[in-house]
Amino acid sequence: DSGVTQTPKHLITATGQRVTLRCSPRSGDLSVYWYQQSLDQGLQFLIQYYNGEERAKGNILERFSAQQFPDLHSELNLSSLELGDSALYFCASSKRTGAGELFFGEGSRLTVL
Amino acid sequence: DQQVKQNSPSLSVQEGRISILNCDYTNSMFDYFLWYKKYPAEGPTFLISISSIKDKNEDGRFTVFLNKSAKHLSLHIVPSQPGDSAVYFCAATPSGANSKLTFGKGITLSVRP
């Protein structure tokens, strides 16, 4: 158990819909990262927050947005969903802003039909 | 553009033998490298890391070797055990605040009893 909690674990929805994925970091960790893993792809970095502020942005689509709240939990919002958005979405946390060892949640599997 | 490449998608070895997992990178700014292991239905977990000031780091059965001139690193597992069967991701990052981990696509290791 990494201490990072992601909900929901599985989500099935239709094209055009909007979903929200939630992540609670490990106790004491200020940084939250979101990664996407599509079929046969590695972990693609989406976005990072540190203590409520956006710190780094990767290949995140404009239809996707995220935020980190004062209690440090984070939400990833995916809108106007397309079939290609079907993937595993991982949240990871760490104490610092610089990337080093990250602690990953179990992921949220999104299926868009 | 894949900055971290794991060109072999899978590897099968006999229990007790050595497993060698390879990883290549293209970004000269990368100076910290990590290996993560992932079991099905779980998030990736940190395995071992190496800084660019070293060329070898050992932790029990796991050793990571770094060849900076060749931009190549490898993970050696000796002896391999059936419980090592998993997907192994190579990751790299520059140092400094707000840096992010860039992952390869992963290698599926199967250790045959």
Side-chain angles (χ1 to χ4, degrees):
Chain A
D1 183 5
S2 67
V4 178
T5 304
Q6 288 188 250
T7 57
K9 284 188 168 38
H10 300 275
L11 189 56
I12 301 175
T13 188
T15 54
Q17 296 298 303
R18 170 190 168 97
V19 299
T20 297
L21 309 180
R22 181 188 169 102
C23 169
S24 294
R26 287 191 324 158
S27 176
D29 284 358
L30 299 178
S31 273
V32 169
Y33 303 77
W34 286 98
Y35 281 84
Q36 178 194 56
Q37 185 184 20
S38 302
L39 192 64
D40 294 332
Q41 294 294 315
L43 294 155
Q44 301 291 320
F45 171 71
L46 296 178
I47 197 163
Q48 179 213 353
Y49 281 84
Y50 177 80
N51 204 20
E53 293 185 2
E54 181 184 306
R55 284 301 182 98
K57 218 166 184 176
N59 301 321
I60 188 167
L61 299 172
E62 286 189 12
R63 300 183 286 110
F64 296 180
S65 65
Q67 55 183 324
Q68 186 180 29
F69 295 86
D71 66 352
L72 302 177
H73 92 272
S74 178
E75 293 182 356
L76 179 66
N77 301 297
L78 315 175
S79 61
S80 301
L81 286 168
E82 302 175 359
L83 296 177
D85 298 328
S86 296
L88 257 176
Y89 291 86
F90 287 103
C91 169
S93 73
S94 70
K95 282 188 168 30
R96 305 170 300 154
T97 57
E101 180 182 347
L102 300 183
F103 295 87
F104 282 83
E106 294 183 351
S108 293
R109 180 171 293 282
L110 172 66
T111 302
V112 182
L113 300 176
Chain B
D1 177 31
Q2 277 268 305
Q3 297 187 59
V4 177
K5 300 177 185 178
Q6 296 178 262
N7 292 321
S8 301
S10 62
L11 175 68
S12 180
V13 299
Q14 193 74 37
E15 180 178 5
R17 308 294 288 268
I18 185 171
S19 294
I20 300 176
L21 290 75
N22 294 306
C23 177
D24 298 292
Y25 63 96
T26 58
N27 190 335
S28 300
M29 299 301 291
F30 289 154
D31 60 6
Y32 188 60
F33 306 87
L34 306 89
W35 285 91
Y36 281 78
K37 179 168 76 171
K38 183 182 180 305
Y39 292 118
E42 295 183 11
T45 56
F46 170 75
L47 189 59
I48 192 169
S49 64
I50 188 167
S51 164
S52 60
I53 62 173
K54 294 185 175 182
D55 54 19
K56 176 183 174 181
N57 188 28
E58 193 171 352
D59 183 2
R61 297 185 297 112
F62 302 90
T63 303
V64 57
F65 295 90
L66 176 62
N67 182 332
K68 289 186 290 293
S69 61
K71 293 191 176 69
H72 176 83
L73 62 155
S74 60
L75 174 67
H76 293 211
I77 307 173
V78 184
S80 301
Q81 299 173 354
D84 296 328
S85 297
V87 178
Y88 289 79
F89 291 99
C90 172
T93 180
S95 56
N98 304 326
S99 54
K100 61 175 177 67
L101 283 181
T102 299
F103 286 83
K105 291 187 178 182
I107 301 172
T108 300
L109 173 65
S110 299
V111 180
R112 308 184 303 273

